[in-house]
Amino acid sequence: MSIDILFELQQETRRLFIAGSAMAANDLRLNRLLPGLKKLGETAPVFNRLAAATEELLGASREDSAAKLLELSTLLVAILYTQGKTDAAGEPQPVQGAGIALATDIPYRKLHPFIEALTTKGQGRLEQIRVSYEDGSFLDLRALPAVCAALEDSYAEIPDFVQEKLIPAFGASAVPVLQSQLNLQGGKGDGRRLQLLHRQLGATMLELVAEGASTGSTEVKLAAISILGAYADQEPLLLALSRDKRKDVRAAAYAALASIGTAPALDRLYEAAVSKDGEIAVEPIRQSGSPQLLERLIRQGEQALAQYSNGEAKLRTEASGQLLVVLHALEGAGKKMASEAFPFVQRLLTTGAYLVPETENAQEAAAELLLEMDLPEADQLAIELGNGGNGPFIRYGFRAAFRRLTPTAVYDRYAGQFNSAKSKTAKELLAAIREVVYRDAYDEDEDRYGEPVAREEAWDSRWLSLFIRLDQPGLVCMFAQRPDKEVTAYLTGKLREARWGVKDAGDMLATLFRIRYKEAPERFMELLERGAARNMYYMNGQQRRLVASMPKSYAPRLRAFGEKLTYESLRAEWMTQIDEIEQAPESAEEENGRGLWGWLKSKMS
């Protein structure tokens, strides 16, 4: 028996409850349903009663309509309850649980912001996710599906955080959800799922990973290939994938072959290096670190150099590209391969036909490789190549000279080439000096701002006067060691012309404090009071240290300056630091603020 007509009648009675029972008199919709109800009455007496109740409502007066509508609705609801079914079609089947042992005892009010951050769009979501991660409230069964689904979030930092932090924290509990969401034809999120599943299940996943590498979407294929690099028995599949028509797939296969490191794998890397794939084969070759492979590439480089010297224009272009690939592949292995690589690099850098502007990138790569070898003969060649400001080699020659010669000899050799700071040779040398200072004196203090300080014993003292003459404030700051009159006159003179935020101003002030120049606090205060409040938007580490270096006696002037700052958050930070200066013990002002800075750091940590 069809009960559709009963549901239609229920809908009409609800309409009349809303519109008012007085509207029921001779209602067209109820009249349309009445014949069908009478026909149902032929099957059961109760439907006759339903049809009669409908007729009574249609003919009821305005005063009686409410009672009649309620009577019809009550009878209709009772009938509908008798017509429902509670069983499902089909045969019963056992339900298999996921076996996830996760609690659900975290109040949902606390969990909801985390789930919302994972499942919605907008700003501030990553911060909320990190908060939930840090307090551990994310480890809840109700959050797990949303966490795994967030691997596909469009904001790249969220999937990265989920993959690196959240899902590993769930451990094996995440496996069933990851498996249910995995689609080998999916996108980057599915590639992440495959990698996470392999992290939990290991080699038992190998068949599925191989399937993903063979037939998956590009993103899944790349993830699967990265996994296969840990399994030497997957070499045939990786060799096949290294000939895929897609460049990114070939690149991933080369990286996996480098991890395997078998003879066929290395042969394929060599084949790629000398083909159109040379550029994408470089990093996997470096990763492999195979001396045999690098030796083959050096021999290939020698052939390419001969081809460049003797070939036509087209052949010279191909040979030049090949030489660059070989040199880049040797980066990082210069010291290990020094005995094999030095003759090749020496021949390349002394072949006149090759030393042309078109090959300058390769020339610089070769010169860098010379220094990496750390051989006396290699450094001597670098010095000779840079004689007279020769092309790009002056920088590498200076670095080699610094390593091999005395400070006096280095100054005598190079100082005479500074006719002005604007010549090409001078610019190359100044860049080399900065690079050497950074390499030689960089301290790994994460809180360090500004330029490093040159080691006094490693440099001739005459450099400082030369940098002042060349008007190089950054290098003067690097080389200043004590409150010399020439240095302080130069730096204070530059500061009188400076404005807050201009290049080198912070370094010059920091240098004056470092060399214990007595007037450094006043010079700093003068700079602030020349309108710095209008141009100050935040404070970096160097600026905080400068403020912390000020004596207590300057606290009133510093506080008065802070009142002029435009931004409330900056003003609050400034005032907090002034409060700390005023509260510091007298002993913290030793060494012109150095002790005070250490005391402040301990207070702020």
Side-chain angles (χ1 to χ4, degrees):
M1 176 193 70
S2 172
I3 62 171
D4 290 345
I5 192 172
L6 300 183
F7 286 117
E8 287 187 56
L9 182 59
Q10 184 183 43
Q11 184 177 350
E12 297 306 326
T13 57
R14 286 176 178 171
R15 175 177 60 82
L16 291 171
F17 273 119
I18 296 170
S21 60
M23 305 294 294
N26 296 316
D27 184 82
L28 293 177
R29 297 182 183 179
L30 287 179
N31 274 314
R32 179 175 56 83
L33 295 175
L34 190 57
L37 293 172
K38 289 181 176 179
K39 188 171 183 179
L40 278 179
E42 298 174 2
T43 61
V46 69
F47 295 118
N48 279 327
R49 181 71 191 90
L50 191 62
T54 303
E55 281 188 302
E56 290 175 6
L57 175 61
L58 284 169
S61 64
R62 192 179 189 88
E63 292 75 14
D64 296 335
S65 61
K68 296 298 181 182
L69 177 60
L70 184 60
E71 181 182 343
L72 172 62
S73 178
T74 304
L75 178 60
L76 176 61
V77 170
I79 294 172
L80 284 173
Y81 269 112
T82 67
Q83 303 301 310
K85 293 184 178 181
T86 58
D87 57 330
E91 295 294 325
Q93 299 292 332
V95 176
Q96 184 174 359
I100 299 177
L102 283 175
T104 57
D105 53 358
I106 297 170
Y108 192 75
R109 183 173 59 182
K110 186 174 184 180
L111 189 64
H112 175 68
F114 174 67
I115 296 176
E116 187 176 39
L118 291 170
T119 55
T120 60
K121 304 294 181 185
Q123 297 180 344
R125 295 187 296 134
L126 183 58
E127 289 71 19
Q128 175 60 55
I129 293 169
R130 283 178 172 154
V131 168
S132 298
Y133 172 74
E134 289 167 4
D135 64 21
S137 62
F138 73 101
L139 286 170
D140 189 285
L141 177 63
R142 294 164 292 177
L144 184 54
V147 170
C148 295
L151 290 167
E152 298 179 4
D153 197 280
S154 57
Y155 181 48
E157 290 188 38
I158 288 180
D160 289 342
F161 191 80
V162 169
Q163 183 175 9
E164 295 167 10
K165 301 291 186 180
L166 299 187
I167 294 181
F170 280 102
S173 296
V175 169
V177 180
L178 291 170
Q179 286 175 327
S180 67
Q181 293 181 354
L182 178 63
N183 175 15
L184 294 183
Q185 301 303 319
K188 192 171 183 178
D190 291 288
R192 295 176 185 270
R193 290 186 182 95
L194 193 64
Q195 290 173 325
L196 288 164
L197 284 168
H198 177 261
R199 185 185 302 182
Q200 289 294 327
L201 302 178
T204 60
M205 283 280 298
L206 196 53
E207 184 177 345
L208 182 61
V209 172
E211 181 184 350
S214 301
T215 64
S217 65
T218 300
E219 296 290 355
V220 171
K221 192 184 291 280
L222 295 176
I225 292 172
S226 70
I227 295 171
L228 293 178
Y231 298 95
D233 60 347
Q234 297 300 311
E235 175 196 280
L237 176 57
L238 291 172
L239 289 172
L241 290 167
S242 72
R243 302 184 186 281
D244 194 275
K245 63 181 180 180
R246 285 162 293 193
K247 185 177 180 179
D248 51 357
V249 173
R250 296 198 303 275
Y254 294 146
L257 288 169
S259 298
I260 289 177
T262 60
L266 297 178
D267 287 343
R268 180 68 186 103
L269 289 178
Y270 175 79
E271 181 184 350
V274 299
S275 70
K276 65 178 182 180
D277 276 353
E279 182 181 342
I280 62 174
V282 164
E283 187 56 38
I285 290 171
R286 289 183 195 157
Q287 178 187 337
S288 75
S290 167
Q292 295 80 13
L293 177 56
L294 293 175
E295 284 180 26
R296 291 181 68 183
L297 285 173
I298 291 170
R299 292 195 295 272
Q300 172 62 24
E302 291 170 344
Q303 294 175 17
L305 180 58
Q307 183 180 6
Y308 183 92
S309 302
N310 305 321
E312 299 175 355
K314 182 179 179 181
L315 294 177
R316 287 164 68 93
T317 301
E318 293 177 359
S320 178
Q322 186 62 67
L323 284 166
L324 193 57
V325 167
V326 173
L327 291 168
H328 285 166
L330 286 167
E331 287 177 15
K335 196 164 187 176
K336 180 175 67 175
M337 301 298 298
S339 58
E340 295 83 0
F342 177 66
F344 161 62
V345 176
Q346 182 182 37
R347 192 174 303 113
L348 186 148
L349 291 176
T350 54
T351 299
Y354 189 72
L355 302 181
V356 293
E358 290 77 13
T359 64
E360 192 167 300
N361 288 340
Q363 293 174 46
E364 294 202 30
E368 187 68 51
L369 191 57
L370 271 183
L371 297 183
E372 192 182 315
M373 293 176 192
D374 197 17
L375 292 175
E377 56 268 36
D379 286 342
Q380 184 58 40
L381 176 59
I383 294 171
E384 293 172 0
L385 288 169
N387 282 342
N390 182 16
F393 299 122
I394 185 75
R395 294 200 317 274
Y396 302 97
F398 184 90
R399 287 167 53 192
F402 181 82
R403 186 157 60 187
R404 298 295 173 183
L405 304 181
T406 65
T408 301
V410 171
Y411 182 86
D412 291 339
R413 175 180 283 270
Y414 292 99
Q417 300 189 43
F418 286 98
N419 295 323
S420 76
K422 296 182 179 180
S423 69
K424 183 177 180 181
T425 298
K427 289 178 179 178
E428 294 283 356
L429 278 173
L430 290 172
I433 292 169
R434 290 188 182 91
E435 185 176 357
V436 169
V437 173
Y438 271 99
R439 288 172 178 265
D440 186 54
Y442 186 86
D443 57 18
E444 297 182 354
D445 181 6
E446 293 182 359
D447 197 41
R448 184 188 64 76
Y449 286 81
E451 304 289 5
V453 180
R455 285 189 302 116
E456 186 173 14
E457 67 275 13
W459 296 87
D460 190 287
S461 60
R462 292 172 289 176
W463 283 111
L464 188 54
S465 295
L466 177 61
F467 296 143
I468 292 175
R469 179 172 63 81
L470 294 172
D471 194 19
Q472 295 292 312
L475 286 169
V476 172
C477 292
M478 287 183 183
F479 280 75
Q481 304 290 341
R482 55 188 56 82
D484 177 88
K485 287 184 179 180
E486 185 182 20
V487 172
T488 55
Y490 172 75
L491 292 179
T492 54
K494 299 291 286 186
L495 282 170
R496 287 191 190 96
E497 305 168 1
R499 291 289 182 271
W500 182 265
V502 301
K503 186 177 184 296
D504 297 322
D507 291 334
M508 289 190 288
L509 282 166
T511 300
L512 290 174
F513 277 104
R514 175 171 54 80
I515 64 176
R516 299 174 178 83
Y517 177 55
K518 292 182 179 179
E519 297 298 319
E522 189 63 29
R523 300 291 83 80
F524 179 41
M525 206 67 239
E526 288 174 356
L527 182 65
L528 290 177
E529 292 171 346
R530 282 203 301 272
R534 295 190 302 271
N535 301 313
M536 190 180 294
Y537 307 104
Y538 65 93
M539 289 179 68
N540 61 30
Q542 184 186 65
Q543 291 161 359
R544 294 188 190 96
R545 187 161 188 161
L546 287 171
V547 175
S549 299
M550 296 291 280
K552 278 189 177 184
S553 58
Y554 280 83
R557 288 174 69 183
L558 290 168
R559 189 176 293 280
F561 169 80
E563 295 291 350
K564 301 175 184 178
L565 292 171
T566 304
Y567 296 97
E568 183 177 349
S569 59
L570 175 60
R571 187 164 58 249
E573 181 183 2
W574 184 276
M575 294 304 184
T576 299
Q577 193 164 357
I578 305 309
D579 291 341
E580 298 287 1
I581 291 173
E582 292 177 334
Q583 295 169 16
E586 295 297 330
S587 60
E589 290 201 59
E590 295 176 359
E591 300 184 13
N592 200 20
R594 289 187 173 190
L596 179 58
W597 172 244
W599 184 83
L600 283 175
K601 281 181 68 177
S602 69
K603 292 285 287 181
M604 292 186 290
S605 59

